[in-house]
Amino acid sequence: MFGWRKHLLLFVGFGLGTVGFVRAAEQDVDSTRIVEQAVAYEHGEGVPRDPERAVELYCEAALMGNAEAMYSLGWMYINGRGVERDDRYAATLFEMALFKGHAGAEKARRLAGEYTGAVPDCMAARDSGRGFVARDTWDTQKYLASLPEQKKKVVELVTTLAPRFSIEPRLALAIATTESNFDPHATSPKNAMGVMQLIPETASRFNVKDSFDPVQNIKGGLAYLRWLLAYYRGNVALAVAGYNAGEGAVDRYRGVPPYKETQNYVRRILEFFPRTEHPFDARVVDASPVLQALKAVGR
């Protein structure tokens, strides 16, 4: 299950060329090692039994896209082992593992009950009254301190607003800096405007009345990014490619489109936000049909 088929899926899905393929393969190896450590702590194999540490390691590997980690962490939650029992979290983790092709996840998913999209605290934090928001331990204050004064206000807006849309601030900042370098007045030859470079159609779609108003623009861009992450079920590369080229192009090419601009864009975002998966809310939109095709390739 973890052999060449998974690497082929990553390669076709991300379309990042040799560098992207190698990085994905390296991450796969790393996450498998982390899962092995988690299993050892869960069962006390060669180390003192420590289910809490096992949960931490499973979560770390799950964030790297490892299906076995998602599946195992689901069982930790459904059995209340190392964490307080939570069938909602288990259902989400089994759903994620099932999408990634885990053989045992379908049966486990049925046992866990209704899927609500709730995300464990290690993958997302709770924000009162807003549902789940993404968790990011990156030091945004240190990053802010390194910026010139004229950019700090925009960056503060991005980092403050991002969690309200369930987006990790680092990913939101990667989009904003790549799109406009935090310039609220930026305009492209394609008539993309503002911090998040919204074209008129996207602005209208996400109810942005004034694309040069930083708050409206950032909210519109984050709403679109949240939609894309849900549409591509947390696949960062596909969501980012959709932000640059449109989801229609991503679906048409069944992966990152072969446009030099888009492929360079995805590479740059992933250098700033080096993760292949991001928590998503499946209630926002149905999954893209292209994901089934990519799953078939990976089998």
Side-chain angles (χ1 to χ4, degrees):
M1 176 181 168
F2 293 103
W4 65 270
R5 291 180 178 86
K6 182 172 181 183
H7 295 318
L8 179 61
L9 172 59
L10 287 166
F11 179 69
V12 173
F14 298 164
L16 296 179
T18 303
V19 173
F21 179 86
V22 170
R23 285 179 180 169
E26 289 174 349
Q27 179 162 293
D28 188 40
V29 171
D30 289 344
S31 66
T32 301
R33 287 174 180 165
I34 292 170
V35 169
E36 290 171 355
Q37 294 173 22
V39 170
Y41 279 109
E42 181 183 356
H43 300 290
E45 298 173 353
V47 294
R49 187 174 177 274
D50 187 344
E52 290 83 4
R53 178 58 178 153
V55 167
E56 292 175 358
L57 291 166
Y58 281 137
C59 189
E60 182 179 349
L63 285 169
M64 297 169 74
N66 188 293
E68 185 64 31
M70 297 168 186
Y71 178 73
S72 298
L73 186 58
W75 280 114
M76 298 296 277
Y77 272 102
I78 207 168
N79 290 318
R81 192 159 58 243
V83 288
E84 184 177 347
R85 175 169 177 166
D86 196 314
D87 289 2
R88 299 170 309 145
Y89 292 166
T92 296
L93 289 157
F94 291 144
E95 184 78 16
M96 292 168 67
L98 178 61
F99 172 72
K100 299 285 284 187
H102 192 286
E106 185 172 4
K107 183 177 180 180
R109 172 69 188 82
R110 292 197 296 268
L111 291 172
E114 182 182 358
Y115 169 64
T116 66
V119 178
D121 288 345
C122 66
M123 301 178 76
R126 291 273 169 186
D127 185 15
S128 178
R130 298 185 184 278
F132 81 84
V133 296
R135 184 184 189 183
D136 190 356
T137 57
W138 182 55
D139 191 346
T140 53
Q141 292 305 314
K142 185 176 180 180
Y143 178 73
L144 271 171
S146 71
L147 295 170
E149 286 299 323
Q150 65 267 27
K151 293 183 180 180
K152 286 183 179 179
K153 186 174 181 180
V154 175
V155 172
E156 286 173 349
L157 277 175
V158 174
T159 56
T160 299
L161 292 170
R164 301 182 188 180
F165 290 84
S166 306
I167 305 294
E168 292 195 12
R170 187 165 182 168
L171 177 56
L173 288 170
I175 297 289
T177 189
T178 302
E179 289 288 347
S180 70
N181 198 22
F182 307 117
D183 182 357
H185 307 293
T187 304
S188 80
K190 297 179 181 178
N191 204 28
M193 294 172 280
V195 177
M196 305 297 278
Q197 288 291 277
L198 304 180
I199 60 174
E201 292 84 355
T202 304
S204 176
R205 179 177 170 187
F206 292 97
N207 201 32
V208 175
K209 306 298 183 185
D210 181 0
S211 289
F212 291 113
D213 178 282
V215 174
Q216 287 190 43
N217 186 284
I218 293 166
K219 284 183 175 180
L222 291 171
Y224 185 32
L225 185 56
R226 174 177 59 185
W227 187 94
L228 288 165
L229 285 165
Y231 188 58
Y232 293 116
R233 292 309 190 247
N235 185 313
V236 175
L238 295 182
V240 167
Y243 196 97
N244 177 261
E247 63 270 18
V250 175
D251 286 351
R252 186 164 61 252
Y253 286 102
R254 298 189 175 188
V256 176
Y259 312 145
K260 185 175 181 180
E261 175 193 335
T262 301
Q263 296 206 350
N264 288 339
Y265 182 90
V266 173
R267 286 192 186 96
R268 181 171 179 182
I269 298 297
L270 292 181
E271 285 172 359
F272 198 94
F273 183 79
R275 288 236 313 268
T276 60
E277 305 284 333
H278 186 290
F280 64 91
D281 187 344
R283 295 167 294 184
V284 171
V285 64
D286 291 338
S288 164
V290 77
L291 295 176
Q292 290 299 323
L294 292 177
K295 262 177 84 173
V297 172
R299 287 174 180 160

